[in-house]
Amino acid sequence: MVFESLSGKLRETLKRLRGKGKLTEKDVDAALREVRLALLEADVNFKVVKDFISQVRERCLGKEVLESLTPGQQVIKIVNEELTRLMGQSAAKLNQASSPPTVVMMVGLQGSGKTTSAAKLASFLKKKQHTPLLAAADIYRPAAIRQLQVLGEQLGLPVFQLGQQDPVTIARAALESARKNRNDYLIIDTAGRLHIDEELMGELQRIEKAVSPHETLLVVDAMTGQDAVNVAKSFHEKLGLTGVVLTKLDGDTRGGAALSVRSVTGCPIKFAGLGEKADAFEPFHPDRMASRILGMGDVLSLIEKVQTSFDADKAREMEKKLRSQQFTLEDFLDQLQQVKNMGPLNQLLEMLPGMGQMGKKLKGLTVDDRELVKVEAIIRSMTKKERLNPDIINSSRRKRIAAGSGTRVQDVNNLLKQFDMMQKMMKQFGKGKIKGRGKFPFV
Amino acid sequence: MGIFGRIREGLKKTRSGIMGRLESLFSRNIFDDNFFEELEEVLIGADVGVETTLEMVEKLRRLVREERPGEADRVVEMLKGLMLEVLGEESSGLNLAAEKPTVILVLGVNGVGKTTTIGKLAGRLRAENKKVLVAAGDTFRAAAIEQLETWANRAGADLVKHQQGADPSAVLFDALSAARARGSDVVICDTAGRLHNKTNLMEELRKVRRVVEKALPGAPHEVLLVLDATTGQNALAQARVFNDVAPLTGLVLTKLDGTAKGGILVAVARELNIPVKFIGVGEKMDDLQPFNPTEYVDALFSPLT
C-alpha cells in the first residue's frame, strides 16, 4: 500500500500530540524526532529529512502552534503543508510544443521501467485523441526494441526503430518520421544507464542536442532508497530534466524517493505507474499524495476514479452517503458490483480515507480479489432488513447466513466487524471536510 | 580493475561515498554523541535502514565505552566486525545437487535484473564446463523470452521456451524433463518479475515452486532472490514475502556498480539470515561475481586510495 507505513508512523506520532492544551518545545521535538525516523524509514534521503524537520520545527516553535487552541491540529497542518510544499502543489501537465511534434525523452537507470512507461504514456496520449509515435533507442539491452514493438502492437501504437544503429541517428530519424506522418507526440525510449557512466550520459546529451526534447522525463522506481538523490541530481545536471515518472507505486513501498527526487531536482513528478497493465498510469497528484502520507486518504482520486467507472449520478449519491454516514451493507454490495469494473481492489482500498490505518487493523481488508466473491455471497445471504441494519444479526442469524453462503460463522463475523469499523471510519470522515484546510477528520 | 575496485571507483566518483564522510568523521578521534549521530546518518545514507543502524550504533557505543579505543582505525575495525557478524564472514557458493540436474529458481520484483543475472550465471557455469539449460519462465513481460534467448546464446546454454502468455509452471516442467533427457548439469529458471504485494502473482509463484518440486524431487536446490542495490527499505519486505512463498537459499545483489551501496543487505541478512551469493557489477557477461562479505565491508570502509 502506497505510503501506508509512513502514514502509519506519522499518525502514531501525531496521535500523541492530540488532546493537549498547549504544546511545549519538548513535545514538538519529541514528535519531530519520530517524524524524522518515520521519514528515514520511508527512504526519504537523510539530507532532505534534515531540511524538512528543521523547517517544520521552525514553524512549530512559532506562536502559531504554542498559542493555538488545538496544537495537534496545528502540527498536522504544518507537517502536511510542508510535505505538500515539498512534493509540489498541484498536478503538472506535460509540456507541449508550439508546433508539433512534442518530443518526450524517457531516461533513467536500468530496470526503472522506461520502456513500459513509454508505452503507457503513449497509450495515455492516444486515449486523449493524440497520435503518438514511439521510438526504440535502447540498442543495448537484448530484446529491448522487441519489447517496445510488442507493446506497440498490443496497444495499437506505431513504433519507430532502426535496429542497433546509433541512438542519435535513431532519434533524429524518428523525429523526421513523426513530422512526415503527422504524429503530434514523439516518445523516445532510451537505454537504462548508470548516472555515473560518462559515455552513456554523453550519448543522452547528444540525443538531446539532436532532437531538443520538450520533455525529458526521469523514470524513477518508487522503491529507490537513499541513492535516489544522487541519481536524480546527476541526470538533472547533465540533461536538465523537466519532469519525473514514478513507477511501481502499486507496490507497498513507502515511496520516500518521491520526496527526495522532487526536492533535489525541483522537477514535478508528472506521472505515476501503478501496475503492469497499460492503463495503470495516471497523472501524479502531489497534493493528494502528501495528504495520503498524513492518512487522510486519497478521497479526490477515489471520486475521480469512481466517476470514470460509475455513472455520475451514482457517484454523487455514493459520495453523499459516504458523507452522511448512511452507508449500509446494501450499498456495500452495490459497490462491490461496480468495484469489479474498476480494477484491482487493493488499489481502490488504498484510496479510501484512513485505509492506511484500517489496513493494519484489518488484515482482511487488504484482500485479494477472490475474497470479493466470498463477501458478496455473505451479503447476498442476508435479508434486506439485515443488510440495512446489521445490528440485528444475532448468532442464530449468523449461523443461517454462514450456511446460506457456504462460509463459516467466523467469516460472517469478520465481515460484520470490518463493516462496523468502516462505518466508524466513514463517520469520522463525514465530519471533516475534504478540501478545507485546518479541519482534519482524525483530530 | 577488480570488482571492488569498481565499487570504490563508484564511490569516488560521487564524492558522497560512505568513506568520504567516514574519513572526516574518523579523523577527529573524538567519539562523542555527535560522532555516533553522524555515523548513524552515514549508515542510513547507505540504505542500511533505521532499525539496523540504531542497533549497530548502539552496540558500537557499548564497545567503545568498554574498550575506550584511542584511534579511529580501531573503531572502524569494530564497526566492520559488527557488520560481518551480521553478514557472515565466509562467502557461500551455489548448492549443487548430488545428482544432476541442479535446479536454480530465480525470483524478484520487476526490473531488478533477473534475466540479466541468469544470463551471467549461465555464462559463469558454462565457463566451469557445466552443461546449462535456461528455462524462459517469464511468459508475461513483452520480449522477456527473446531477452533470455539472447543471453542463452551468448552463454552457450540450452533454452526451453513456450509462447508469451503460456503457463510458467508448464515451461519449467518441460525444462526439467528436457534437462534430464539431455543430461544437463544445471537448470536455471527465470520467472516473471512481480511485486510481492500482489497476492495472485505470489500464489502463482508458490505453484511454480511446487511444480518444480514435483517434477524433480529435491528441487529447487537454489532459490535466489534478486535485489536491486538501489532499492531502499522495501527490499526487506520483498525478502520477507518471497521467503515465505518460496523459501530462499540465497540473495543476488545487482547494480552495485552505481553509487548505491546496497546497505539493505545488512538489514536483510540480520532479519532473515539468508546468505548473499552473488553481486552484479555491470552489464557484461563476467560482471556477476561471488559475494565476499569481508571484501564488501572492506570496500565500504576502506580509505579511498
Side-chain angles (χ1 to χ4, degrees), chain B residues 27-158:
Chain B
S27 62
R28 291 204 305 249
N29 281 355
I30 306 168
F31 311 118
D32 55 4
D33 277 357
N34 280 341
F35 170 84
F36 288 109
E37 234 162 73
E38 232 172 288
L39 195 58
E40 268 172 35
E41 265 179 13
V42 170
L43 291 177
I44 286 170
D47 287 320
V48 171
V50 174
E51 209 185 314
T52 311
T53 296
L54 291 184
E55 189 192 88
M56 224 167 245
V57 170
E58 194 45 49
K59 279 188 187 161
L60 188 66
R61 264 177 204 267
R62 220 175 304 143
L63 281 179
V64 167
R65 222 170 15 234
E66 282 164 16
E67 273 191 39
R68 303 193 168 276
E71 298 158 42
D73 279 356
R74 181 62 202 130
V75 182
V76 181
E77 285 308 311
M78 287 174 172
L79 191 54
K80 275 190 199 170
L82 288 173
M83 289 192 115
L84 284 177
E85 235 171 64
V86 174
L87 287 172
E89 309 226 348
E90 302 292 313
S91 34
S92 46
L94 281 177
N95 297 325
L96 294 181
E99 222 171 297
K100 64 186 185 183
T102 297
V103 181
I104 304 174
L105 196 56
V106 180
L107 321 172
V109 300
N110 316 64
V112 288
K114 281 176 298 303
T115 306
T116 308
T117 298
I118 290 170
K120 293 177 192 168
L121 186 56
R124 254 193 106 72
L125 291 163
R126 286 290 299 135
E128 293 169 15
N129 266 326
K130 296 218 162 54
K131 195 165 156 56
V132 180
L133 185 144
V134 293
D138 181 355
T139 55
F140 182 80
R141 181 167 59 88
I145 299 172
E146 284 96 327
Q147 188 184 349
L148 190 65
E149 195 161 20
T150 309
W151 275 106
N153 288 339
R154 278 185 202 169
D158 293 333

Side-chain angles (χ1 to χ4, degrees), chain A residues 182-435:
Chain A
R182 300 187 180 275
N183 297 105
D184 57 357
Y185 279 90
L186 170 65
I187 300 166
I188 304 172
D189 178 30
T190 65
R193 63 202 75 213
L194 286 171
H195 52 293
I196 50 171
D197 187 327
E198 304 280 344
E199 201 184 312
L200 286 180
M201 290 303 281
E203 177 194 283
L204 282 183
Q205 286 171 318
R206 288 200 303 280
I207 297 179
E208 190 186 31
K209 217 173 224 167
V211 298
S212 343
H214 306 90
E215 282 278 8
T216 304
L217 299 178
L218 178 69
V219 181
V220 178
D221 184 331
M223 298 181 275
T224 310
Q226 298 284 322
D227 202 41
V229 165
N230 296 329
V231 174
K233 209 188 277 166
S234 304
F235 272 97
H236 193 45
E237 277 166 11
K238 299 231 162 71
L239 296 168
L241 302 173
T242 58
V244 174
V245 179
L246 199 63
T247 61
K248 307 181 204 173
L249 259 178
D250 51 328
D252 61 357
T253 177
R254 301 172 189 187
L259 297 180
S260 303
V261 169
R262 164 73 202 181
S263 105
V264 293
T265 64
C267 290
I269 298 170
K270 296 201 169 178
F271 293 97
L274 293 157
E276 308 212 21
K277 302 223 176 70
D279 59 354
F281 189 75
E282 293 173 359
F284 183 78
H285 297 284
D287 49 337
R288 298 179 195 178
M289 201 55 110
S291 68
R292 187 135 94 185
I293 293 172
L294 287 176
M296 290 195 289
D298 204 340
V299 181
L300 298 169
S301 275
L302 177 68
I303 290 171
E304 200 170 79
K305 186 132 193 167
V306 162
Q307 273 169 346
T308 52
S309 303
F310 293 120
D311 56 272
D313 282 344
K314 277 235 158 132
R316 221 167 292 133
E317 197 183 312
M318 188 183 102
E319 198 199 328
K320 212 168 115 195
K321 277 187 170 157
L322 279 171
R323 283 170 176 283
S324 61
Q325 309 146 34
Q326 292 167 339
F327 188 75
T328 65
L329 277 166
E330 185 88 324
D331 299 314
F332 189 54
L333 183 64
D334 194 36
Q335 260 189 295
L336 278 185
Q337 303 303 319
Q338 311 218 30
V339 158
K340 285 182 181 166
N341 309 327
M342 288 168 68
L345 190 58
N346 284 332
Q347 274 182 33
L348 282 172
L349 282 178
E350 59 193 51
M351 291 178 186
L352 280 170
M355 271 324 290
Q357 215 170 15
M358 297 286 291
K360 227 181 242 165
K361 280 190 209 144
L362 314 166
K363 282 282 179 229
L365 262 181
T366 56
V367 287
D368 80 70
D369 292 325
R370 272 172 304 179
E371 284 287 314
L372 277 184
V373 180
K374 222 192 219 173
V375 170
E376 198 184 323
I378 294 175
I379 301 180
R380 283 197 184 285
S381 299
M382 295 176 184
T383 63
K384 188 130 194 170
K385 214 166 148 193
E386 285 166 343
R387 288 181 212 169
L388 292 175
N389 185 12
D391 289 341
I392 63 166
I393 303 178
N394 55 23
S395 69
S396 90
R397 283 178 192 258
R398 280 171 207 232
K399 265 184 218 153
R400 192 205 76 240
I401 292 167
S405 56
T407 57
R408 295 166 307 166
V409 177
Q410 262 167 288
D411 297 323
V412 179
N413 287 344
N414 273 341
L415 176 70
L416 289 171
K417 212 161 90 196
Q418 284 171 17
F419 183 73
D420 184 48
M421 300 210 53
M422 191 156 109
Q423 262 186 327
K424 277 187 192 140
M425 182 182 82
M426 299 286 182
K427 259 178 211 164
Q428 287 182 332
F429 164 56
K431 282 179 203 151
K433 286 180 193 160
I434 299 183
K435 278 187 175 158

Side-chain angles (χ1 to χ4, degrees), chain A residues 164-184:
Chain A
Q164 319 288 112
Q165 286 196 43
D166 178 28
V168 182
T169 314
I170 297 173
R172 214 178 265 132
L175 181 57
E176 231 11 78
S177 161
R179 279 201 187 113
K180 210 166 63 199
N181 296 306
R182 300 187 180 275
N183 297 105
D184 57 357

Side-chain angles (χ1 to χ4, degrees), chain B residues 194-210:
Chain B
R194 64 199 77 217
L195 292 176
H196 52 287
N197 60 336
K198 305 272 165 97
T199 321
N200 294 344
L201 294 178
M202 293 309 280
E203 284 306 313
E204 177 194 85
L205 190 62
R206 209 187 283 273
K207 181 185 162 193
V208 163
R209 194 200 172 280
R210 212 165 43 226

